[in-house]
């Protein structure tokens, strides 16, 4: 059935595995063997894909799979105590499957609901605003073995939490208005408008969108591809969730505008697995746009302007937010970032010229088509034209979505969201920058504080060491393992912070962190590895007492238990006398 639905195309392998798991609840070995044979792929390749994505399961899991969001903001809202309550009520421990196979509980990375946490996923479907009452209701529904579709619908409802609108969020254009305008001026003039707008990518890197589109248009190939990167996995960001929920037409129209510019016939929306609940409404919007003539053949009545969009799901891999990793994932492979050059604009999806743009970037293209590039460039700053959506979460009265012109100060955002006694703001997610109060006059803009949108607020009751510890564990978990410096370096970094958290750290560990920072920055293959130490390095510079509180009064304490590591060798050789152990050091001399 899965093969019939997707065809025997290896690039659909990930989508097939997701569909198969939906049906079987896990991925039995014989199903993987059948799939590998049908697609004429080595079984190891199929297994490799399953092993890469944290939402795919090669071992049996509970009929109800519960994953608590482990973002620092969810923790601040009490997620740990709620998970403990649920585990106690259902008689199991985190990471376990219940004896009857009914339920399994674990944690996952940020689920994109930081404005209404704590949050969890139940079989991939998100539930926000968890509290003790909701946990008790969920436990009861599980005990009754009620199918998920029969659970109260209000459990799966969310707030949009839009608190500040500017050009994008107050846009009232009807479907097709922006396309009509771009078609009317012609392809070349439309690209000139894009150039005049100075629009830069809103996914974080800030590359000029028109330059990307031009390179793709000029690439010698008959087929071009447009990809919308809706894999916002950066902890603390959720603005793409709200855009896809409240303004899906703008996003799809932006993709079609990109197709008009570059001459693409196929588009993909790569939707992060955590946003599974958005998929039915997105598919319905696509169907309506096809019926209205804004997707499909001869769009807007223009012969030869044919373009359509497919939705592909991710499966819980943060690194797939990196555009080349995303393309690998779209091709049904492990999401390992590619070596560049060549760049996706010339060699992207299946080797075809491809533009990959973020959700917000594409939605912004509609404003440019509607009002012109110059009008778009009239707001913002010299190097950052237009507005920026911020996902505000943490210690403030009104967490949610805020749209400001670029150049807004951190203090203005804090005032708008009702934050007080603020100790720090983490802008740009775990990979971003930690700002102390003396920096709150800095501006959100590519030339000062760049961000994909996450804006996490911490008041003066918070421990910034704990914040960085959470981020570093996140990176160690999300490292794709392709390159050794990142695979090992992020684990060592997490281990060092674990040691500090246990109160066993020494000043030498702080020096070790700086060494690891250098290693990761110099030798990592992609941005995940090089950014991983950022929160710790910022924390050491700006909140050093929070780290020093965890130090032992000793110069050195080993992070690696050498004597423990030799246990296996002692067993094998059958020698476990005192001489086979390392001498214990007196505490003072360590
Ligand atoms: Fe993978 Fe990390 Fe290397 Fe990036 S830096 S390719 S995430 S191992």
């Amino acid at each position: 059935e899965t093969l019939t639905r997707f065809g025997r195309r290896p690039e659909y392998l990930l989508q097939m595995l997701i569909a198969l798991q939906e049906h079987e609840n896990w991925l039995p070995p014989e199903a993987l063997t059948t799939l590998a044979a049908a697609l004429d792929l080595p079984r190891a390749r199929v297994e490799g894909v399953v092993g890469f994505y944290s939402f795919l399961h090669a071992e049996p899991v509970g009929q109800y799979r519960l994953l608590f969001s482990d973002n620092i903001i969810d923790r601040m809202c009490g997620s740990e105590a709620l998970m403990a309550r649920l585990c106690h009520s259902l008689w199991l421990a985190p990471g376990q499957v219940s004896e009857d196979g009914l339920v399994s509980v674990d944690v996952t990375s940020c689920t994109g609901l930081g404005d209404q946490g704590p949050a969890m996923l139940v079989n991939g479907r998100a539930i926000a605003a968890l509290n003790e009452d909701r946990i008790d209701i969920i436990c009861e529904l599980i005990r009754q073995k009620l199918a998920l579709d029969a659970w109260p619908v209000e459990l799966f409802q969310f707030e949009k939490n839009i608190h500040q609108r500017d050009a994008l969020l107050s846009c009232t254009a009807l479907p097709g208005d922006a396309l009509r305008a771009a078609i009317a001026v012609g392809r070349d003039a439309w690209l000139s408008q894009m150039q005049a707008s100075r629009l830069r990518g809103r996914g974080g890197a800030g590359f000029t969108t028109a330059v990307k589109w031009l390179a793709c248009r000029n690439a010698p190939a008959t087929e071009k591809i447009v990809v919308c990167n809706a894999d916002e996995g950066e902890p603390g960001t959720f603005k793409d969730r709200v855009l896809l929920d409240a303004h899906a037409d703008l996003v799809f129209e932006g993709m079609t505008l990109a197709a008009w510019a570059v001459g693409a016939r196929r588009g993909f929306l790569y939707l992060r697995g955590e946003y599974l609940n958005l998929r039915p409404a997105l598919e319905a919007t696509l169907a309506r746009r096809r019926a209205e003539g804004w997707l499909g053949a001869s769009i807007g009545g223009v012969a030869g302007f044919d373009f359509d969009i497919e939705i592909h799901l991710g499966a819980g891999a943060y690194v797939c937010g990196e555009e080349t990793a995303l393309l690998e994932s779209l091709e049904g492979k492990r999401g390992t970032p590619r070596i560049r050059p060549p760049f996706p604009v010339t060699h992207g999806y299946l080797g075809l010229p491809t533009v990959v743009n973020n959700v917000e970037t594409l939605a912004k293209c509609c404003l440019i088509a509607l009002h012109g590039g110059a009008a778009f460039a009239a707001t913002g700053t010299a190097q950052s034209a237009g507005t920026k959506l911020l996902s505000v979460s943490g210690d403030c009265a009104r967490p949610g979505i805020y749209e400001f012109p670029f150049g807004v100060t951190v203090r203005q955002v804090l005032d708008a969201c009702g934050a007080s006694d603020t100790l720090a703001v983490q802008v740009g997610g775990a990979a971003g920058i930690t700002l102390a109060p003396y920096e709150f006059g800095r501006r959100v803009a590519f030339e000062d504080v760049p961000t994909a949108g996450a804006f996490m607020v911490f008041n003066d009751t918070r421990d910034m060491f704990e914040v960085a510890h959470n981020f570093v564990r996140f990176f160690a978990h999300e490292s794709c393992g392709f390159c050794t410096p990142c695979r090992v370096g992020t684990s060592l970094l997490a281990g060092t912070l674990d040691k500090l958290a246990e109160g066993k750290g020494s000043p030498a560990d702080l020096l070790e962190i700086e060494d690891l920072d250098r290693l990761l920055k110099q030798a990592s293959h992609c941005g995940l590895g090089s950014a991983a130490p950022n929160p710790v390095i910022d924390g050491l510079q700006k909140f050093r007492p929070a780290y020093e509180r965890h130090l032992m009064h000793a110069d050195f304490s080993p992070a690696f238990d050498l004597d423990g590591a030799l246990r296996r060798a002692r067993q094998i050789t059958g020698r476990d006398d005192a001489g086979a152990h390392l001498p214990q050091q007196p505490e003072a001399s360590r």
Side-chain angles (χ1 to χ4, degrees):
E1 189 188 323
T2 305
L3 288 167
T4 312
R5 184 169 149 204
F6 293 101
R8 291 169 190 264
R9 292 176 291 180
E11 65 268 30
Y12 282 78
L13 174 59
L14 175 58
Q15 304 310 305
M16 289 181 192
L17 290 167
I18 292 169
L20 200 57
Q21 182 170 280
E22 176 98 16
H23 193 256
E24 301 284 327
N25 203 43
W26 68 295
L27 295 165
E30 56 277 14
L32 301 187
T33 305
T34 307
L35 203 53
L39 297 177
D40 200 18
L41 292 173
R43 194 179 183 284
R45 154 100 192 270
V46 177
E47 255 183 72
V49 172
V50 174
F52 185 83
Y53 295 93
S54 58
F55 290 173
L56 296 181
H57 306 289
E59 303 281 335
V61 285
Q63 192 182 323
Y64 296 93
R65 303 183 304 278
L66 311 183
L67 293 173
F68 280 78
S69 180
D70 196 32
N71 181 19
I72 184 69
I73 302 294
D74 292 275
R75 283 179 166 240
M76 282 158 50
C77 295
S79 63
E80 284 173 290
L82 292 173
M83 185 164 82
R85 182 182 183 92
L86 182 136
C87 286
H88 182 257
S89 176
L90 294 175
W91 289 71
L92 79 170
Q96 271 187 356
V97 183
S98 60
E99 279 181 18
D100 57 0
L102 184 65
V103 54
S104 53
V105 180
D106 214 328
V107 291
T108 186
S109 300
C110 179
T111 52
L113 286 157
D115 56 330
Q116 47 205 299
M120 73 190 310
L121 302 176
V122 182
N123 293 4
R125 293 177 63 183
I127 300 180
L130 292 173
N131 54 29
E132 291 188 353
D133 288 347
R134 285 195 150 202
I135 289 293
D136 294 346
I137 290 168
I138 291 166
C139 290
E140 194 49 41
L141 292 166
I142 290 172
R143 274 193 283 268
Q144 289 174 13
K145 300 185 182 172
L146 211 61
L148 219 53
D149 287 340
W151 287 25
V153 285
E154 56 270 21
L155 279 178
F156 301 104
Q157 287 169 346
F158 313 104
E159 301 298 328
K160 293 191 176 61
N161 283 335
I162 299 175
H163 296 299
Q164 171 98 15
R165 294 173 190 270
D166 204 302
L168 184 64
L169 295 178
S170 55
C171 177
T172 54
L174 298 173
D177 282 355
L179 265 171
R180 228 180 260 114
I183 290 169
V185 295
R187 273 201 171 97
D188 290 343
W190 163 229
L191 260 167
S192 300
Q193 292 291 336
M194 283 295 294
Q195 286 173 307
S197 73
R198 298 188 286 112
L199 175 68
R200 295 174 67 173
R202 296 325 200 224
F207 196 79
T208 305
T209 307
V211 172
K212 221 182 222 188
W213 287 14
L214 262 173
C216 183
R217 189 181 81 154
N218 294 336
T222 49
E223 199 181 342
K224 315 273 169 78
I225 306 289
V226 171
V227 174
C228 175
N229 181 348
D231 193 38
E232 61 168 355
E234 197 63 56
T237 188
F238 44 84
K239 47 109 186 162
D240 290 351
R241 181 201 89 219
V242 176
L243 273 178
L244 290 165
D245 189 13
H247 297 278
D249 266 300
L250 289 178
V251 180
F252 290 138
E253 190 132 339
M255 291 179 72
T256 318
L257 286 165
W260 173 237
V262 305
R265 295 162 64 92
R266 291 181 77 188
F268 296 96
L269 178 93
Y270 185 92
L271 185 68
R272 72 184 300 228
E274 290 82 348
Y275 292 170
L276 177 69
N277 58 313
L278 296 177
R279 187 172 189 167
L282 290 170
E283 295 283 11
T285 305
L286 285 177
R288 174 175 49 72
R289 290 184 69 84
R290 284 184 199 113
E292 291 169 349
W294 298 118
L295 282 176
S298 304
I299 293 171
V302 179
F305 181 15
D306 308 335
F307 179 68
D308 212 331
I309 298 171
E310 287 175 47
I311 297 176
H312 276 221
L313 275 178
Y318 164 76
V319 73
C320 289
E322 196 275 343
E323 65 175 2
T324 61
L326 184 150
L327 291 171
E328 289 287 299
S329 184
L330 262 186
E331 292 180 6
K333 302 174 189 161
R334 294 164 68 91
T336 305
R338 293 178 181 171
I339 292 167
R340 294 181 291 182
F343 293 95
V345 285
T346 55
H347 297 77
Y349 176 71
L350 298 178
L352 299 167
T354 303
V355 287
V356 183
N357 286 129
N358 165 263
V359 170
E360 184 183 349
T361 314
L362 289 162
K364 291 268 163 68
C365 296
C366 296
L367 299 181
I368 297 162
L370 289 165
H371 309 298
F376 185 87
T379 51
T381 66
Q383 293 175 45
S384 311
T387 62
K388 182 76 196 85
L389 265 58
L390 297 175
S391 314
V392 178
S393 63
D395 295 315
C396 62
R398 293 175 294 282
I401 299 296
Y402 291 76
E403 184 182 13
F404 287 103
F406 267 122
V408 65
T409 65
V410 171
R411 187 171 291 112
Q412 283 171 312
V413 181
L414 289 172
D415 289 344
C417 70
S420 57
D421 303 321
T422 304
L423 173 69
V425 180
Q426 182 74 22
V427 186
I433 177 170
T434 314
L435 299 174
Y438 67 87
E439 297 172 289
F440 290 172
R442 292 182 65 178
R443 295 179 181 277
V444 175
F446 292 110
E447 57 267 49
D448 191 358
V449 181
T451 174
F455 191 101
M456 290 187 259
V457 183
F458 302 99
N459 70 20
D460 59 12
T461 67
R462 305 298 177 186
D463 179 349
M464 292 311 292
F465 170 81
E466 262 183 47
V467 174
H469 192 191
N470 177 270
F471 290 158
V472 163
R473 280 205 313 244
F474 162 79
F475 283 121
H477 178 257
E478 294 294 342
S479 169
C480 81
F482 171 72
C483 57
T484 309
C486 172
R487 187 178 64 246
V488 177
T490 52
S491 289
L492 287 174
L493 196 58
T496 306
L497 265 71
D498 288 345
K499 184 180 161 194
L500 287 166
E502 288 162 13
K504 296 176 183 166
S506 70
D509 292 308
L510 303 189
L511 295 174
E512 171 80 7
I513 288 170
E514 287 167 12
D515 285 346
L516 286 170
D517 177 47
R518 273 190 292 278
L519 170 81
L520 282 157
K521 291 239 174 340
Q522 285 167 7
S524 294
H525 174 58
C526 84
L528 185 151
S530 55
N534 287 359
V536 192
I537 296 299
D538 267 358
L540 279 170
Q541 283 171 2
K542 300 170 189 176
F543 303 98
R544 199 171 182 93
Y547 288 73
E548 289 176 341
R549 274 198 291 276
H550 293 277
L551 298 185
M552 282 172 35
H553 294 290
D555 292 333
F556 176 75
S557 172
F560 181 66
D561 178 7
L562 182 55
D563 194 57
L566 293 172
R567 188 177 304 122
R568 184 85 182 117
R570 287 194 296 268
Q571 282 172 355
I572 291 168
T573 56
R575 193 186 154 196
D576 198 7
D577 54 85
H581 287 266
L582 296 171
Q584 290 291 314
Q585 296 288 323
E587 195 72 22
S589 68
R590 281 185 188 175

